Amino acid sequence: MTETTSGEAQPRALLISAQSADKLAELCREAARSPFRYGLRRQTDARETLGKYRRAAVASGETEAAEILLAPPETHGAPKKLAFAFPGQGAAGAVPVAELRRLLPVFSKYLGIAEKAAERAAGASLTPLLEKGRNSDALAEHISVFAYGAALAFQYIDWGFVPDLILPHSLGEFSALAISGMADFEETAEFVCRRALVIDSIKERGVMLHAEAPLDLAEELAARGAGKLSVASVNGPRSVVLSGTESAAREAERALDMAKIPHRRLRVPYAAHSPLMGEAAEKIAALPFPALNEPEIPVFSTLDGNPLSAAICSRAERRAAQCLLPARFDKVIAAARNFAEGAEITAAEFGVHRTLAGAGLAAMPESRWLGASSMKRYVADKPRAYCFRRGIMETAAALWEDGFADGLEWTKI
């Protein structure tokens, strides 16, 4: 896709609210006759107060807007909790940086901070890395995933979408530290860069392999690897990642083929969360780490799903463990369900793609899992800048429908 949006009909938002479901349906039918006649104004039956029942349509044309308004609503009246999810390596993708910085002032502010931090800590230029998307080294991938996700999350918070809990996966824990108020964003960006430089320096890189297999089979395959293969990540009952040497991974692939279990290599150029990271883990543990506060928003550990605290995160041995031990996103999800206490969870994932949605929805089928910058439906003929803009608006609209903010600033992008 090209980056230009010249001549492109840009997405617009129409928001409707009412004090009852019946009244909302009536207003939606009325608005559907000529949606853009309403412009960007909030429409309510009382005209002064925001109703409990809400619909938001994001569309580029009136026919599309009418279809959205007349479709059955995705939301209902159950209590809800908002979760921000931060993915790890593999979540990067090509980003239309200039367009997003023009549209999103808070995102632009934090991206600028990250750019200066990356230059100081590693001599890296962040914008070209984000625009490229697919990166072959840890430095480029890690700072891209961290900076993009955290900067966009700060923008959502500025719009009034403040999370009730934060769900990190692996590298995503550093974004979670900054968003929860535990660590300074700039200091964390510098640490992410220095950590990645250490990882890029290791000689025996290894590979990573995802399999649609249960944990017990993954552990059996790892045991056959005789120390050269380990379980690197557990995302769900049948979603695991193995990490280790090339030869050990090939043996595991043959076993998976014989068992007719789907599997694929990940594009991570080293064996994260494995003993092959031992040398790097020791050096990373010795790196200066940001000063920590207690979290303003609960964060659940990517290692065991337990709530994080300043005391836990300040331990150098824990930073080593993040390199060596499995990422247990299954336990993060279990902790989120317990924290929600029966409320439904609406999750917004702050990566370019929704890499965690499969695991999240499998464990919480009643949840709603949104990509912070992902369109509901991919449209092949649209420019990249349009897709990001619309994806952000659609996600903000869904969160507004769920009642997580009353403000309308997001409609102005």
Side-chain angles (χ1 to χ4, degrees), residues 62-335:
E62 290 209 327
T63 299
E64 183 184 27
E67 290 174 353
I68 294 170
L69 291 172
L70 296 176
E74 297 182 33
T75 59
H76 49 83
K80 296 176 176 65
K81 298 285 187 183
L82 175 58
F84 279 8
F86 291 98
Q89 181 150 329
V95 175
V97 176
E99 179 70 359
L100 292 187
R101 294 196 73 168
R102 182 182 71 82
L103 295 170
L104 309 173
V106 175
F107 170 84
S108 181
K109 169 189 170 182
Y110 281 94
L111 203 64
I113 293 171
E115 283 180 320
K116 293 177 182 177
E119 178 63 35
R120 280 195 307 272
S125 181
L126 178 57
T127 292
L129 298 178
L130 285 168
E131 291 174 339
K132 178 182 177 183
R134 288 185 175 272
N135 301 298
S136 59
D137 59 76
L139 174 61
E141 181 81 4
H142 288 199
I143 190 57
S144 295
V145 171
F146 168 83
Y148 178 76
L152 189 56
F154 278 121
Q155 179 68 69
Y156 272 74
I157 290 171
D158 186 72
W159 285 333
F161 302 113
V162 180
D164 298 295
L165 64 162
I166 300 179
L167 315 178
H169 187 294
S170 188
L171 174 69
E173 195 170 281
F174 298 113
S175 301
L177 294 183
I179 295 302
S180 69
M182 291 187 72
D184 177 77
F185 173 76
E186 185 172 7
E187 292 178 5
T188 308
E190 291 182 1
F191 174 80
V192 167
C193 288
R194 295 188 183 107
R195 179 180 184 271
L197 288 175
V198 171
I199 292 172
D200 280 331
S201 72
I202 62 178
K203 296 178 181 178
E204 187 171 13
R205 294 293 185 90
V207 298
M208 300 187 76
L209 169 69
H210 178 268
E212 296 178 18
L215 178 57
D216 57 355
L217 176 57
E219 290 174 335
E220 179 184 336
L221 294 174
R224 293 182 201 172
K228 295 183 179 180
L229 192 70
S230 62
V231 176
S233 177
V234 184
N235 299 325
R238 298 192 67 85
S239 177
V240 295
V241 175
L242 293 162
S243 187
T245 64
E246 172 72 35
S247 60
R250 283 200 302 268
E251 289 294 327
E253 287 169 330
R254 282 191 281 269
L256 291 166
D257 285 337
M258 290 181 63
K260 298 186 180 339
I261 293 176
H263 60 84
R264 62 182 175 85
R265 291 281 182 100
L266 302 183
R267 62 179 183 89
V268 180
Y270 59 92
H273 304 289
S274 83
L276 293 183
M277 293 289 292
E279 178 187 351
E282 184 177 343
K283 293 179 180 178
I284 287 170
L287 290 174
F289 196 66
L292 295 173
N293 308 302
E294 293 305 323
E296 298 169 6
I297 304 164
V299 182
F300 298 102
S301 167
T302 189
L303 295 180
D304 55 24
N306 291 324
L308 288 182
S309 67
I312 290 172
C313 293
S314 64
R315 298 171 187 161
E317 58 268 26
R318 186 179 187 279
R319 296 194 285 281
Q322 286 176 301
C323 299
L324 301 170
L325 299 181
R328 294 300 302 262
F329 194 64
D330 60 330
K331 293 188 175 183
V332 170
I333 291 294

